[in-house]
Amino acid sequence: MGSDVDSRAYREAIRAFADVATALLETRDRDDLLRLIGRKLCELVGAPRCSVYLRDDASGLYRGQVGYADHDIDAMVKKLTCGTDADGFTREIVETQAPVLVENAATDPRPVRSTMRAWHVVTMLGVPMVLQGEVIGIVFLDGEDQAMTFTALDRALASAFAELAAVVLAQEKLNADLRSTLDTVARQNQVLRRVSAVDDKLTGLVLDGRNLREIAQAVTDLTHKPCSIHDAQNRRLACASPETPEGGAPVRPRLLDPDMVQVPEIADALAALSSKKAAVVGPFPSAGLPNRFLVAPVTVRDDQWATLVLMEHGARLSGFDMIMSRRTATVIALEMSAERRAANAEWNARASLAGELIRGNADTTQIEHRAQFVGMDLDQPHVLCLVSSRSGDAASLPDVRAVGDAFRDAAPHHGVIATGVAEGIVVIVEAPADGPTLAGVAAVKEVAAAALAALDPDGRLIAGMSTVCRRPTDYVRAYTQALQVVRCLDTFHRAGSVDLLAADDLGAGRMFLANADADEAERFVEETLGGLLDDSVAGDLLLTLCSFFEHGRSIRWSAADLGVHENTIRYRLARIEELTGLAIATGSDAQLSAQLALLVLRLQGRLPAPKAAPATE
């Protein structure tokens, strides 16, 4: 009879294991599988409650996974850990690798009594799940507030079933690893397909001769993130933004903007980057940059030529973004290398571009393409400066590169390109984009003055500046303007004369004076203003005459400028007319003659620099 009972029990165990094996094929949730193992064990030995623990390889402890009872106990089981030094019950199960029975948890010293009391355990059976000689898990079965009798057959069935369950768990882990591997391979294949599309896209752009702006736009189209490309001095060469809702402002990475790289937190993060590896920095909320940035160096032969910046926007930065930024940096490096080699074949990239601009190359697209790769944004205002030396001066002009470097040192955040010409050296300097045009010219004049002082402290160099250039076609006219100014400065040279003027300082008079003879011009000044130059009060009269013209021939503004009464201005103008014979207040010819004479005096350094005139009278 006992034999029949044993046979039926083992058949039940086999059927239970078959259910578990079937579940292995149907479920991907390990907790569901563990819960089924616990339930089947409870049914085999008639226990109302059980909990399943698995070994943590890092600590060697057994951590609660799931439970089975007439109510949900999973959350409580997951908080438990067994196998500690105080837990002799678990230690005996692991050492014997066999079921261990605690008949009275209240008096047995092996289990942790506080846990037994908290769970109302009276009798408990601990069953190891053994695989290849190691206990990978333990199932605890108990009666929950009641004493239980676990027979030898119960213990044998539980042990056999637990060992079979251990095999199932091992297979489940293998399946999970295989699924993870397959998922990883699938993701990698997807990334590789996307990267291949990126390579095709970027390579096509390079082969088609596209510029950096188009490369940046391609990166943004593929990643849906703002992108910018900067040169070695962090000047922005190109930028692209994803589409924004109607009326929304474009989003661009500001990480390398001049005001941002000065922030200590950002400066330290950038300094820590490698010149050969892409990396993620940020966010910098204190600087107004709440997003992260992917920074990829564009390196050629250990020299960092540029930097690609991708900004986290709309979605987090991903592995694909990292791979793509590296590929793009390589493409940019190849394109920049090719462009630099092409430019160096005739000059260097900057000198060649400056030469093309002042010669008036009709291919505007080619000019813009070249400008981007040398760090010059032709959409920004620029001023052309012609550096030369006075006729007969034995001092030779500095090297073109030295002149360009001096201007860059004087304006580290402004774009500068330079080239040599027959009359000297042309330097094109980026002007401030904000503010009035004359303010931009004044800012560049300060840069030029600092550069000239650094190049030749003795003041033997002279420089003429153009008005502001806003289009590629403006530079031919700008070169003519600067050349006219230089000729004026050279022609009317004398001790104390000025060495730097802009076209706006001379106005239309530069076109007449640029080709004038110095002696003839001196005679013209004497004939026109001679009476003022000999008069004992000539200083006041000359200042009044200058102020009158500088303020649009307004008596009221001239009086305000000089701090005198309007009648004083009228009296002085009348006195000027007496001494010179020129009807300054009313005669247009007289006014033109007087203005030309004053220009000569200013070129000779005999008058102060003009002041800014008001907009209206």
Side-chain angles (χ1 to χ4, degrees), residues 353-434:
L353 174 63
E356 292 289 338
L357 286 169
I358 63 176
R359 285 194 294 270
N361 190 328
D363 191 343
T364 303
T365 301
Q366 180 188 16
I367 287 292
E368 291 177 345
H369 189 159
R370 295 171 69 98
Q372 290 177 1
F373 282 97
V374 299
M376 182 178 183
D377 186 354
L378 290 177
D379 292 334
Q380 298 297 314
H382 290 77
V383 174
L384 185 147
C385 183
L386 175 60
V387 179
S388 185
S389 58
R390 301 187 190 276
S391 299
D393 197 319
S396 60
L397 279 172
D399 178 76
V400 175
R401 295 184 185 274
V403 173
D405 290 341
F407 274 79
R408 292 187 191 97
D409 291 342
H413 301 303
H414 294 243
V416 175
I417 62 175
T419 190
V421 293
E423 296 82 6
I425 298 169
V426 166
V427 185
I428 299 175
V429 184
E430 183 179 353
D434 300 329

Coordinates of all heavy atoms in Angstrom, one line a residue, residues 353-434:
L353 N 41.3 83.6 -49.3 CA 39.9 84.1 -49.2 C 39.9 85.6 -49.3 O 39.1 86.2 -50.0 CB 39.2 83.6 -47.9 CG 37.9 84.2 -47.6 CD1 36.9 83.8 -48.7 CD2 37.3 83.8 -46.3
A354 N 40.8 86.3 -48.5 CA 40.9 87.7 -48.5 C 41.2 88.2 -49.9 O 40.6 89.2 -50.4 CB 41.9 88.2 -47.5
G355 N 42.1 87.5 -50.6 CA 42.4 87.9 -52.0 C 41.2 87.8 -52.9 O 41.0 88.6 -53.8
E356 N 40.5 86.7 -52.7 CA 39.3 86.5 -53.6 C 38.2 87.6 -53.3 O 37.6 88.1 -54.2 CB 38.7 85.1 -53.3 CG 39.5 83.9 -53.7 CD 39.6 83.8 -55.3 OE1 38.6 84.3 -55.9 OE2 40.5 83.2 -55.8
L357 N 38.1 87.9 -52.1 CA 37.1 89.0 -51.7 C 37.4 90.3 -52.4 O 36.6 91.0 -52.9 CB 37.0 89.1 -50.2 CG 36.2 87.9 -49.5 CD1 36.4 88.1 -48.0 CD2 34.7 87.9 -49.9
I358 N 38.7 90.7 -52.2 CA 39.0 92.1 -52.7 C 39.2 92.1 -54.2 O 39.1 93.2 -54.9 CB 40.3 92.6 -52.1 CG1 41.5 91.8 -52.4 CG2 40.1 92.7 -50.6 CD1 42.8 92.3 -51.9
R359 N 39.4 90.9 -54.8 CA 39.4 90.8 -56.3 C 38.0 90.7 -56.9 O 37.8 90.9 -58.1 CB 40.2 89.6 -56.7 CG 41.7 89.8 -56.6 CD 42.5 88.8 -57.3 NE 42.3 87.5 -56.8 CZ 43.1 86.9 -55.8 NH1 44.1 87.6 -55.3 NH2 42.8 85.7 -55.4
G360 N 37.0 90.4 -56.1 CA 35.7 90.3 -56.5 C 35.3 89.1 -57.3 O 34.8 89.1 -58.4
N361 N 35.6 87.9 -56.7 CA 35.2 86.7 -57.3 C 33.7 86.6 -57.5 O 33.0 86.8 -56.5 CB 35.7 85.5 -56.4 CG 35.6 84.1 -57.1 OD1 34.7 83.9 -57.9 ND2 36.5 83.2 -56.8
A362 N 33.3 86.4 -58.7 CA 31.8 86.4 -58.9 C 31.1 85.2 -58.4 O 29.9 85.2 -58.3 CB 31.6 86.5 -60.5
D363 N 31.8 84.1 -58.1 CA 31.1 82.9 -57.6 C 30.9 83.0 -56.1 O 31.7 82.6 -55.2 CB 32.0 81.7 -57.9 CG 31.3 80.4 -57.6 OD1 30.2 80.4 -56.9 OD2 31.7 79.3 -58.1
T364 N 29.8 83.6 -55.7 CA 29.5 83.8 -54.3 C 29.4 82.5 -53.5 O 29.8 82.5 -52.3 CB 28.2 84.6 -54.2 OG1 28.3 85.8 -54.9 CG2 27.9 85.0 -52.7
T365 N 28.8 81.5 -54.1 CA 28.7 80.2 -53.4 C 30.1 79.7 -53.0 O 30.3 79.2 -51.8 CB 28.0 79.2 -54.2 OG1 26.7 79.7 -54.6 CG2 27.8 77.9 -53.5
Q366 N 31.0 79.7 -53.9 CA 32.4 79.3 -53.6 C 33.0 80.1 -52.5 O 33.7 79.6 -51.6 CB 33.2 79.3 -54.9 CG 34.7 78.8 -54.6 CD 35.6 79.1 -55.8 OE1 35.2 79.9 -56.7 NE2 36.7 78.4 -55.8
I367 N 32.8 81.4 -52.5 CA 33.3 82.3 -51.5 C 32.8 81.9 -50.1 O 33.5 81.8 -49.2 CB 33.0 83.8 -51.9 CG1 33.9 84.2 -53.0 CG2 33.3 84.7 -50.7 CD1 35.4 84.3 -52.7
E368 N 31.5 81.7 -50.1 CA 30.8 81.4 -48.8 C 31.3 80.0 -48.3 O 31.6 79.9 -47.1 CB 29.3 81.4 -48.9 CG 28.7 82.8 -49.2 CD 27.2 82.7 -49.4 OE1 26.7 81.6 -49.6 OE2 26.6 83.7 -49.3
H369 N 31.5 79.1 -49.2 CA 32.0 77.8 -48.8 C 33.4 77.9 -48.2 O 33.7 77.4 -47.1 CB 32.1 76.9 -50.1 CG 32.4 75.5 -49.8 ND1 32.1 74.5 -50.7 CD2 33.0 74.9 -48.8 CE1 32.5 73.3 -50.2 NE2 33.0 73.5 -49.0
R370 N 34.3 78.7 -48.8 CA 35.7 78.8 -48.3 C 35.7 79.6 -47.0 O 36.4 79.3 -46.1 CB 36.5 79.6 -49.4 CG 36.7 78.8 -50.7 CD 37.4 79.6 -51.7 NE 38.7 79.9 -51.4 CZ 39.8 79.3 -51.8 NH1 39.6 78.3 -52.6 NH2 41.0 79.6 -51.5
A371 N 34.8 80.6 -46.9 CA 34.7 81.4 -45.7 C 34.4 80.5 -44.5 O 35.0 80.7 -43.4 CB 33.7 82.5 -45.9
Q372 N 33.5 79.6 -44.6 CA 33.1 78.8 -43.5 C 34.2 78.0 -42.9 O 34.4 77.8 -41.7 CB 31.9 77.9 -43.8 CG 30.6 78.7 -44.1 CD 29.5 77.8 -44.5 OE1 29.7 76.6 -44.6 NE2 28.3 78.4 -44.8
F373 N 35.1 77.5 -43.8 CA 36.1 76.6 -43.4 C 37.3 77.3 -42.8 O 38.3 76.7 -42.3 CB 36.6 75.7 -44.5 CG 35.6 74.5 -44.7 CD1 34.7 74.6 -45.7 CD2 35.7 73.4 -43.9 CE1 33.8 73.6 -45.9 CE2 34.8 72.4 -44.1 CZ 33.8 72.4 -45.1
V374 N 37.4 78.6 -42.9 CA 38.4 79.4 -42.3 C 37.9 80.2 -41.1 O 38.5 81.1 -40.6 CB 39.1 80.3 -43.3 CG1 39.8 79.5 -44.4 CG2 38.2 81.4 -43.8
G375 N 36.6 80.0 -40.7 CA 36.1 80.6 -39.5 C 35.5 82.0 -39.8 O 35.4 82.8 -38.9
M376 N 35.1 82.3 -41.0 CA 34.6 83.6 -41.3 C 33.1 83.5 -41.7 O 32.8 82.8 -42.7 CB 35.4 84.3 -42.5 CG 34.9 85.7 -42.8 SD 36.0 86.4 -44.1 CE 35.3 88.0 -44.2
D377 N 32.3 84.2 -41.0 CA 30.8 84.2 -41.3 C 30.5 85.4 -42.1 O 30.5 86.5 -41.6 CB 30.0 84.1 -40.0 CG 28.5 84.0 -40.3 OD1 28.1 84.0 -41.5 OD2 27.8 83.8 -39.3
L378 N 30.3 85.3 -43.4 CA 30.1 86.4 -44.3 C 28.7 87.1 -44.0 O 28.5 88.2 -44.5 CB 30.2 86.0 -45.8 CG 31.6 85.7 -46.2 CD1 31.6 85.2 -47.7 CD2 32.5 86.8 -46.1
D379 N 27.9 86.4 -43.2 CA 26.6 87.1 -42.8 C 26.8 88.1 -41.8 O 25.9 89.0 -41.5 CB 25.6 86.0 -42.3 CG 25.2 85.1 -43.4 OD1 25.2 85.5 -44.6 OD2 24.8 83.9 -43.1
Q380 N 28.0 88.1 -41.1 CA 28.3 89.1 -40.1 C 29.0 90.3 -40.7 O 29.7 90.2 -41.8 CB 29.2 88.5 -39.0 CG 28.6 87.3 -38.3 CD 27.4 87.7 -37.5 OE1 27.4 88.7 -36.8 NE2 26.3 87.0 -37.6
P381 N 28.9 91.5 -40.1 CA 29.5 92.7 -40.7 C 31.0 92.6 -40.5 O 31.5 92.1 -39.5 CB 28.9 93.8 -39.8 CG 28.5 93.2 -38.6 CD 28.0 91.8 -38.9
H382 N 31.8 93.1 -41.4 CA 33.3 93.1 -41.4 C 33.8 94.5 -41.9 O 33.1 95.2 -42.6 CB 33.9 92.0 -42.3 CG 33.7 90.7 -41.7 ND1 32.5 90.0 -41.8 CD2 34.5 89.8 -41.1 CE1 32.6 88.8 -41.3 NE2 33.8 88.7 -40.8
V383 N 35.0 94.8 -41.4 CA 35.6 96.1 -41.9 C 37.0 95.7 -42.5 O 37.7 94.9 -41.9 CB 35.8 97.1 -40.7 CG1 36.6 98.3 -41.2 CG2 34.4 97.5 -40.2
L384 N 37.3 96.3 -43.6 CA 38.6 96.0 -44.3 C 39.6 97.1 -43.9 O 39.3 98.3 -43.9 CB 38.4 96.0 -45.8 CG 39.7 95.6 -46.6 CD1 39.2 94.8 -47.9 CD2 40.5 96.8 -47.0
C385 N 40.8 96.6 -43.5 CA 41.9 97.5 -43.1 C 43.1 97.3 -43.9 O 43.5 96.1 -44.1 CB 42.2 97.3 -41.6 SG 43.4 98.4 -40.9
L386 N 43.7 98.3 -44.5 CA 44.9 98.2 -45.3 C 46.0 98.8 -44.5 O 46.1 100.0 -44.2 CB 44.7 99.0 -46.6 CG 45.9 99.0 -47.5 CD1 46.4 97.6 -47.9 CD2 45.7 99.9 -48.8
V387 N 47.0 97.9 -44.2 CA 48.2 98.3 -43.4 C 49.3 98.6 -44.4 O 49.6 97.7 -45.2 CB 48.5 97.3 -42.4 CG1 49.8 97.7 -41.6 CG2 47.4 97.0 -41.4
S388 N 50.0 99.8 -44.2 CA 51.0 100.1 -45.1 C 52.1 100.9 -44.4 O 51.9 101.1 -43.2 CB 50.5 100.9 -46.3 OG 51.5 101.2 -47.3
S389 N 53.1 101.4 -45.1 CA 54.1 102.3 -44.5 C 54.1 103.6 -45.4 O 53.8 103.5 -46.5 CB 55.4 101.6 -44.4 OG 55.9 101.2 -45.7
R390 N 54.6 104.6 -44.8 CA 54.7 105.9 -45.5 C 55.7 105.8 -46.6 O 56.7 105.1 -46.5 CB 54.9 107.1 -44.6 CG 53.9 107.2 -43.5 CD 54.1 108.5 -42.7 NE 53.2 108.5 -41.5 CZ 52.0 108.9 -41.5 NH1 51.5 109.3 -42.6 NH2 51.3 108.9 -40.4
S391 N 55.5 106.6 -47.7 CA 56.5 106.6 -48.8 C 57.9 107.1 -48.3 O 57.9 108.1 -47.5 CB 56.0 107.6 -49.9 OG 54.8 107.1 -50.4
G392 N 58.9 106.4 -48.7 CA 60.2 106.8 -48.3 C 60.7 106.3 -46.9 O 61.8 106.5 -46.5
D393 N 59.8 105.6 -46.2 CA 60.2 105.1 -44.9 C 61.0 103.8 -45.1 O 60.5 102.9 -45.8 CB 58.9 104.7 -44.1 CG 59.2 104.6 -42.6 OD1 60.2 103.9 -42.3 OD2 58.4 105.1 -41.8
A394 N 62.1 103.7 -44.5 CA 63.0 102.6 -44.7 C 62.5 101.3 -44.0 O 62.9 100.2 -44.3 CB 64.4 102.9 -44.1
A395 N 61.6 101.5 -43.1 CA 61.0 100.3 -42.4 C 60.2 99.5 -43.3 O 59.4 100.0 -44.0 CB 60.2 100.8 -41.2
S396 N 60.5 98.2 -43.3 CA 59.7 97.3 -44.1 C 58.5 96.8 -43.4 O 58.4 96.8 -42.2 CB 60.6 96.1 -44.5 OG 61.0 95.4 -43.3
L397 N 57.5 96.4 -44.2 CA 56.2 95.9 -43.6 C 56.5 94.6 -42.9 O 57.3 93.8 -43.4 CB 55.2 95.7 -44.7 CG 54.4 97.0 -45.1 CD1 53.6 96.6 -46.3 CD2 53.6 97.5 -44.0
P398 N 55.8 94.3 -41.8 CA 55.9 93.0 -41.1 C 55.3 91.9 -42.1 O 54.7 92.2 -43.1 CB 55.0 93.1 -39.9 CG 54.8 94.6 -39.7 CD 54.9 95.2 -41.0
D399 N 55.6 90.6 -41.7 CA 55.1 89.5 -42.4 C 53.6 89.5 -42.4 O 53.0 89.9 -41.4 CB 55.7 88.2 -41.8 CG 55.1 87.0 -42.5 OD1 55.6 86.7 -43.6 OD2 54.2 86.3 -41.9
V400 N 52.9 89.0 -43.4 CA 51.5 88.9 -43.5 C 50.9 88.2 -42.3 O 50.0 88.6 -41.6 CB 51.0 88.2 -44.8 CG1 49.5 88.1 -44.7 CG2 51.4 89.1 -46.0
R401 N 51.5 87.0 -41.9 CA 51.0 86.3 -40.8 C 51.2 87.0 -39.5 O 50.4 86.9 -38.6 CB 51.8 84.9 -40.7 CG 51.4 84.0 -42.0 CD 52.1 82.7 -41.8 NE 51.9 81.8 -43.0 CZ 50.9 81.1 -43.2 NH1 49.9 81.0 -42.3 NH2 50.8 80.4 -44.3
A402 N 52.3 87.8 -39.4 CA 52.5 88.5 -38.1 C 51.4 89.6 -38.0 O 50.9 89.9 -36.9 CB 53.9 89.2 -38.2
V403 N 51.1 90.3 -39.1 CA 50.0 91.3 -39.0 C 48.7 90.6 -38.7 O 48.0 91.1 -37.8 CB 49.9 92.0 -40.4 CG1 48.7 93.0 -40.4 CG2 51.2 92.8 -40.7
G404 N 48.4 89.5 -39.3 CA 47.1 88.8 -39.0 C 47.1 88.4 -37.5 O 46.1 88.5 -36.9
D405 N 48.2 87.9 -37.0 CA 48.3 87.4 -35.6 C 48.1 88.6 -34.7 O 47.4 88.5 -33.6 CB 49.6 86.7 -35.3 CG 49.7 85.4 -36.0 OD1 48.6 84.8 -36.4 OD2 50.8 84.8 -36.2
A406 N 48.7 89.8 -35.0 CA 48.5 91.0 -34.2 C 47.1 91.4 -34.1 O 46.6 91.8 -33.0 CB 49.4 92.1 -34.7
F407 N 46.4 91.3 -35.2 CA 44.9 91.7 -35.1 C 44.1 90.7 -34.4 O 43.2 91.0 -33.6 CB 44.4 91.8 -36.6 CG 44.6 93.2 -37.2 CD1 45.8 93.6 -37.7 CD2 43.5 94.1 -37.2 CE1 46.0 94.8 -38.3 CE2 43.7 95.3 -37.8 CZ 45.0 95.7 -38.3
R408 N 44.5 89.4 -34.5 CA 43.8 88.4 -33.7 C 44.0 88.5 -32.2 O 43.1 88.3 -31.4 CB 44.2 87.0 -34.2 CG 43.7 86.6 -35.6 CD 44.0 85.2 -36.0 NE 43.8 85.0 -37.4 CZ 44.8 85.1 -38.4 NH1 46.0 85.2 -38.0 NH2 44.5 84.9 -39.6
D409 N 45.3 88.8 -31.9 CA 45.6 89.0 -30.5 C 44.8 90.2 -29.9 O 44.4 90.2 -28.7 CB 47.1 89.3 -30.3 CG 47.9 88.0 -30.6 OD1 47.3 86.9 -30.6 OD2 49.1 88.1 -30.8
A410 N 44.6 91.2 -30.7 CA 43.9 92.4 -30.3 C 42.4 92.2 -30.2 O 41.7 92.9 -29.5 CB 44.2 93.6 -31.2
A411 N 41.9 91.2 -31.0 CA 40.5 90.9 -31.0 C 40.3 89.4 -31.0 O 40.0 88.8 -32.1 CB 39.8 91.5 -32.2
P412 N 40.6 88.7 -29.9 CA 40.5 87.2 -29.9 C 39.2 86.6 -30.2 O 39.1 85.5 -30.6 CB 41.0 86.9 -28.4 CG 40.7 88.1 -27.6 CD 40.9 89.2 -28.6
H413 N 38.1 87.4 -30.0 CA 36.8 86.8 -30.3 C 36.2 87.3 -31.6 O 35.0 87.2 -31.9 CB 35.8 87.2 -29.1 CG 36.3 86.7 -27.8 ND1 36.5 85.3 -27.6 CD2 36.6 87.3 -26.7 CE1 36.9 85.1 -26.4 NE2 36.9 86.3 -25.8
H414 N 37.0 88.0 -32.4 CA 36.6 88.5 -33.7 C 37.3 87.6 -34.8 O 38.4 87.3 -34.7 CB 36.9 89.9 -33.9 CG 36.2 90.9 -33.0 ND1 35.3 91.8 -33.4 CD2 36.2 90.9 -31.7 CE1 34.8 92.5 -32.4 NE2 35.3 91.9 -31.3
G415 N 36.6 87.4 -35.9 CA 37.2 86.7 -37.0 C 38.1 87.6 -37.8 O 37.8 88.8 -38.0
V416 N 39.3 87.1 -38.1 CA 40.3 88.0 -38.8 C 41.0 87.1 -39.9 O 41.3 86.0 -39.7 CB 41.4 88.4 -37.8 CG1 42.6 89.1 -38.6 CG2 40.9 89.3 -36.7
I417 N 41.0 87.7 -41.1 CA 41.8 87.1 -42.2 C 42.7 88.2 -42.8 O 42.4 89.4 -42.8 CB 40.9 86.5 -43.3 CG1 40.0 87.5 -43.9 CG2 40.1 85.3 -42.7 CD1 39.2 86.9 -45.1
A418 N 43.8 87.8 -43.4 CA 44.8 88.8 -43.9 C 45.4 88.2 -45.2 O 45.6 87.0 -45.3 CB 45.9 89.1 -42.9
T419 N 45.9 89.1 -46.0 CA 46.6 88.7 -47.2 C 47.5 89.9 -47.7 O 47.2 91.1 -47.4 CB 45.6 88.3 -48.4 OG1 46.3 87.7 -49.4 CG2 44.9 89.5 -48.9
G420 N 48.5 89.6 -48.4 CA 49.4 90.6 -48.9 C 48.9 91.2 -50.3 O 48.4 90.4 -51.1
V421 N 49.1 92.5 -50.5 CA 48.8 93.1 -51.7 C 49.9 94.1 -52.1 O 50.8 94.3 -51.2 CB 47.5 93.9 -51.7 CG1 46.3 93.0 -51.5 CG2 47.5 94.9 -50.5
A422 N 49.9 94.6 -53.3 CA 51.0 95.5 -53.7 C 51.2 96.7 -52.8 O 52.3 97.2 -52.5 CB 50.8 96.0 -55.1
E423 N 50.1 97.2 -52.2 CA 50.1 98.4 -51.4 C 50.4 98.2 -49.9 O 50.5 99.1 -49.2 CB 48.8 99.2 -51.6 CG 48.5 99.7 -52.9 CD 47.9 98.7 -53.9 OE1 47.6 97.6 -53.4 OE2 47.7 98.9 -55.1
G424 N 50.4 96.9 -49.5 CA 50.6 96.6 -48.1 C 50.0 95.3 -47.8 O 50.1 94.3 -48.5
I425 N 49.3 95.3 -46.7 CA 48.6 94.0 -46.2 C 47.2 94.4 -45.9 O 46.9 95.3 -45.1 CB 49.3 93.5 -44.9 CG1 50.8 93.2 -45.2 CG2 48.6 92.3 -44.3 CD1 51.6 92.9 -44.0
V426 N 46.3 93.6 -46.5 CA 44.8 93.7 -46.2 C 44.4 92.8 -45.0 O 44.8 91.6 -45.0 CB 44.0 93.4 -47.5 CG1 42.6 93.2 -47.1 CG2 44.2 94.4 -48.5
V427 N 43.8 93.4 -44.1 CA 43.2 92.6 -42.9 C 41.7 92.9 -42.9 O 41.3 94.0 -42.9 CB 43.9 93.0 -41.6 CG1 43.4 92.1 -40.5 CG2 45.4 93.0 -41.7
I428 N 41.0 91.8 -42.9 CA 39.5 91.9 -42.8 C 39.1 91.4 -41.4 O 39.4 90.3 -41.0 CB 38.8 91.0 -43.9 CG1 39.2 91.5 -45.3 CG2 37.3 91.1 -43.7 CD1 38.7 90.7 -46.4
V429 N 38.4 92.3 -40.6 CA 38.1 92.1 -39.2 C 36.6 92.1 -39.0 O 35.9 92.9 -39.5 CB 38.7 93.2 -38.3 CG1 38.5 92.8 -36.9 CG2 40.2 93.3 -38.6
E430 N 36.1 91.1 -38.3 CA 34.7 91.0 -38.0 C 34.3 92.1 -37.0 O 35.0 92.4 -36.0 CB 34.4 89.7 -37.3 CG 32.9 89.5 -37.0 CD 32.6 88.1 -36.4 OE1 33.5 87.3 -36.3 OE2 31.4 87.9 -35.9
A431 N 33.2 92.9 -37.3 CA 32.8 94.0 -36.5 C 31.6 93.5 -35.6 O 30.9 92.5 -36.0 CB 32.3 95.1 -37.4
P432 N 31.4 94.2 -34.5 CA 30.2 93.8 -33.7 C 28.9 93.8 -34.5 O 28.7 94.8 -35.2 CB 30.2 94.8 -32.6 CG 31.6 95.3 -32.5 CD 32.2 95.3 -33.9
A433 N 28.1 92.8 -34.3 CA 26.8 92.7 -35.1 C 25.8 93.7 -34.5 O 24.9 94.1 -35.3 CB 26.3 91.3 -35.1
D434 N 25.8 93.9 -33.2 CA 24.8 94.8 -32.6 C 25.3 96.2 -32.6 O 26.4 96.5 -32.5 CB 24.6 94.3 -31.2 CG 24.1 92.9 -31.1 OD1 23.4 92.4 -32.1 OD2 24.5 92.2 -30.1

